[in-house]
Amino acid sequence: MNIYNPSNEQLLKSIQEDSAQSLQDKLHQLRQGQIQWEQKAVADRLECILKFGELVQENIDDLARILTSETGKPIQQSYNEIRGAHNRVEHLKNNAEKWLADNVIEGLEGTYEKIMHEPLGVVANISAWNFPYNVGYNVFLYALVAGNSVAYKPSEFAALTGLAITDLLYKAGIPKDVFQCIVGDGTIGQAMLEADFEGYFFTGSYPTGLHILKEVSPKMVPVQLELGGKDPLYIMDDVKEVKVAAINAAEGAFYNNGQSCCAVERIYVHEKIYNEFVEYFLEEVEGYVIGDPVSEKTFIGSLTRKGQLNLLRNQVNDATSKGAKLLLGGDELAGKGNFFAPTILTEVNHEMLVMKEESFGPIIGIQKVNNDEEAIALMKDTEYGLTAAVFATAQQRAEKVLKAMNTGTVYWNCCDRVSPNVPWSGRNKSGVGATLSSQGIRAFTQPKAYHWREV
Ligand code: NAD
């Protein structure tokens, strides 16, 4: 498989893809290794993960360079991601033993019951490229600590990062028959669906997620899907400073080139502050440095996948043909690499793709609303259910809106963030199941109820 740098189209490396046969061999090894791995104490398994966390920090310069080279992520954002993902390691350190311990319940007349949290076995982790550390850690670190062995398929657009992570896990003491990297695109992903895993944990798009759900459902094993979103942000008229709201909203929309599952994908602004907000928003985005992702000054690098350029151009054309106003950008940049200019559309409505279909790029629609009721109706007008955000001063008023949202996450005066302390989950087309928090480790276990009586 050839890996290209999306910012200059140069070949980075050719790597060996897995075949159906090598997948079967790896699965066989993982099955053997899991039996011993499960026998180890949680503390021993955790020790390897803590060591891995240290190694990642020691090698951060190389890892950030690899991530930027294959995804086009601005180098500072690569550092941010790798540093930020470490909070999963800390979270496991502080909580895993507690969450995986048996829960004993003393009954009447010498009867006892307990809940045991047994690992699922060998699990498949099919992953996305946009935040490979964050979304990878959410699955494979928690799965390993819970006693599973893992077949980890990084995205074909983050395969070098996946291989670098694998190398460091081995150096940290994770046995090779407990963790294996499966290299390739959807073809080997499909072979994983046909193989016999005891759980499927997927991060990626809705169409692939739906396909996976249909394919593996006859196996009757747990399937978790962390999918896309069309996440709304509503700016109320009582925000303390419109300028600050605009700066934060722009960052939520354009960070990582808008290629975040929980990026702000559409903005609604109360009519009283609409003009002021749009002015500040435009000023902020005009100031973004676009260019070589290796430069520390760059905020907007190249998109990871070339195909996305067409989708974005199509959203712009669709919106402008239906009456939207193009305030900024609107097309790809000339020259090599998958660069798309940061794009702002106003006078948009829900007849337009840009307000309905996941953009996953540096493009945003801003719509004026007259009141909270109108904002709620528009925010809810989506098939997705990942996150929703409100910027406002009055808490009660903000919470009325957030309560109405059918999303796994809501934000008040913040957006586009994930924390290991709380579950990460989507509703409707944004997914099934949750990672992170205590739920995120339980996802990799199956309960066994044990009843006993003193004789
Ligand atoms: P994708 O669906 O194209 O690919 C995801 C993974 O699935 C890749 O590893 C790919 O090789 C694999 N795959 C493709 N076809 C397959 C098949 N037939 N069988 C098995 N595996 C197959 O998604 P992507 O482009 O990598 O990621 C972008 C999407 O992911 C966006 O929609 C984004 O919102 C979503 N995402 C969601 C979260 C979340 O936590 N909810 C996090 C990151 C990304």
Side-chain angles (χ1 to χ4, degrees):
M1 186 164 73
N2 290 334
I3 312 287
Y4 292 94
N5 182 327
S7 71
N8 58 23
E9 296 170 23
Q10 276 172 10
L11 180 67
L12 287 169
K13 215 171 180 176
S14 294
I15 53 174
Q16 182 62 50
E17 273 174 282
D18 270 288
S19 63
Q21 185 55 50
S22 70
L23 171 66
Q24 282 307 329
D25 294 345
K26 287 179 177 180
L27 179 54
H28 179 71
Q29 279 184 48
L30 291 170
R31 203 161 289 296
Q32 302 298 314
Q34 195 272 330
I35 298 164
Q36 275 119 42
W37 184 245
E38 180 180 354
Q39 302 306 320
K40 282 185 183 288
V42 177
D44 293 339
R45 298 197 293 256
L46 203 50
E47 205 180 297
C48 299
I49 302 303
L50 300 184
K51 179 74 193 154
F52 166 74
E54 280 170 25
L55 289 173
V56 168
Q57 297 315 312
E58 280 167 24
N59 289 279
I60 193 163
D61 294 334
D62 284 344
L63 298 173
R65 189 182 43 73
I66 293 170
L67 180 55
T68 288
S69 70
E70 64 182 336
T71 62
K73 189 189 287 273
I75 190 79
Q76 280 308 328
Q77 296 178 21
S78 290
Y79 276 99
N80 291 349
E81 180 186 347
I82 299 169
R83 284 197 192 103
H86 189 74
N87 62 13
R88 277 73 164 169
V89 176
E90 290 293 319
H91 186 240
L92 283 167
K93 178 177 149 191
N94 296 333
N95 297 293
E97 284 186 277
K98 178 176 72 196
W99 287 332
L100 291 169
D102 294 347
N103 308 109
V104 180
I105 303 121
E106 196 176 335
L108 288 174
E109 294 162 9
T111 60
Y112 295 86
E113 294 149 2
K114 69 176 173 178
I115 308 166
M116 299 158 75
H117 306 285
E118 297 187 338
L120 297 173
V122 189
V123 300
N125 175 197
I126 301 175
S127 204
W129 47 265
N130 60 329
F131 282 95
Y133 286 86
N134 289 346
V135 300
Y137 282 17
N138 293 357
V139 175
F140 61 70
L141 291 188
Y142 287 71
L144 288 169
V145 171
N148 301 277
S149 58
V150 180
Y152 165 60
K153 193 191 97 53
S155 162
E156 56 274 36
F157 298 103
L160 299 179
T161 293
L163 287 167
I165 286 173
T166 305
D167 189 40
L168 292 183
L169 282 168
Y170 292 158
K171 287 196 172 121
I174 299 284
K176 288 196 171 155
D177 57 6
V178 167
F179 188 90
Q180 282 287 338
C181 186
I182 310 294
V183 178
D185 59 15
T187 309
I188 197 69
Q190 181 65 34
M192 290 173 80
L193 307 184
E194 286 154 23
D196 282 326
F197 287 96
E198 276 91 40
Y200 287 83
F201 295 84
F202 172 74
T203 310
S205 63
Y206 166 74
T208 314
L210 179 64
H211 172 75
I212 290 176
L213 193 61
K214 285 181 177 165
E215 286 275 302
V216 305
S217 61
K219 295 182 201 282
M220 308 281 273
V221 297
V223 182
Q224 275 203 188
L225 306 169
E226 308 264 18
L227 310 177
K230 189 72 194 167
D231 297 357
L233 163 64
Y234 172 35
I235 321 285
M236 285 185 175
D237 51 315
D238 72 341
V239 284
K240 258 195 203 115
E241 282 185 66
V242 177
K243 184 173 181 177
V244 173
I247 291 169
N248 292 335
E251 192 184 30
F254 291 98
Y255 192 82
N256 201 32
N257 288 344
Q259 301 169 122
S260 310
C261 52
C262 51
V264 171
E265 285 254 340
R266 48 200 174 108
I267 300 177
Y268 305 97
V269 187
H270 196 283
E271 59 171 358
K272 284 191 193 154
I273 55 161
Y274 177 82
N275 290 339
E276 195 186 350
F277 176 87
V278 170
E279 236 171 75
Y280 283 129
F281 192 92
L282 176 64
E283 188 184 309
E284 175 67 11
V285 179
E286 276 178 330
Y288 287 160
V289 178
I290 309 164
D292 187 355
V294 171
S295 162
E296 287 180 7
K297 292 193 185 114
T298 297
F299 186 73
I300 302 280
S302 66
L303 292 175
T304 306
R305 296 165 304 167
K306 201 163 199 61
Q308 204 66 5
L309 295 170
N310 269 337
L311 184 141
L312 297 179
R313 209 180 304 109
N314 188 38
Q315 286 194 350
V316 172
N317 293 341
D318 169 75
T320 49
S321 73
K322 291 172 181 164
K325 186 168 157 196
L326 183 63
L327 272 197
L328 189 70
D331 212 342
E332 63 191 277
L333 301 181
K336 284 205 164 166
N338 310 334
F339 289 91
F340 199 89
T343 297
I344 306 172
L345 291 154
T346 54
E347 287 166 47
V348 289
N349 61 49
H350 278 219
E351 297 301 308
M352 300 170 185
L353 291 171
V354 72
M355 299 305 275
K356 300 288 283 182
E357 169 189 88
E358 187 180 44
S359 306
F360 223 60
I363 171 170
I364 193 79
I366 308 179
Q367 185 166 355
K368 191 195 292 183
V369 294
N370 297 318
N371 51 47
D372 297 355
E373 286 65 40
E374 188 186 359
I376 290 173
L378 289 167
M379 291 168 91
K380 289 181 77 170
D381 181 26
T382 177
E383 293 176 309
Y384 290 101
L386 196 57
T387 82
V390 173
F391 289 178
T393 302
Q395 183 170 2
Q396 253 192 341
R397 190 174 154 204
E399 285 182 355
K400 196 173 164 202
V401 176
L402 296 176
K403 212 160 177 246
M405 296 299 117
N406 190 20
T407 55
T409 295
V410 291
Y411 304 110
W412 177 38
N413 289 332
C414 57
C415 58
D416 189 27
R417 76 186 292 276
V418 178
S419 159
N421 301 317
V422 286
W424 182 243
S425 66
R427 299 184 187 176
N428 294 328
K429 285 190 174 180
S430 292
V432 178
T435 50
L436 300 177
S437 78
S438 57
Q439 300 201 27
I441 199 152
R442 290 280 156 73
F444 300 99
T445 65
Q446 47 194 338
K448 181 177 271 173
Y450 179 21
H451 305 240
W452 77 98
R453 184 170 286 146
E454 278 177 356
V455 286

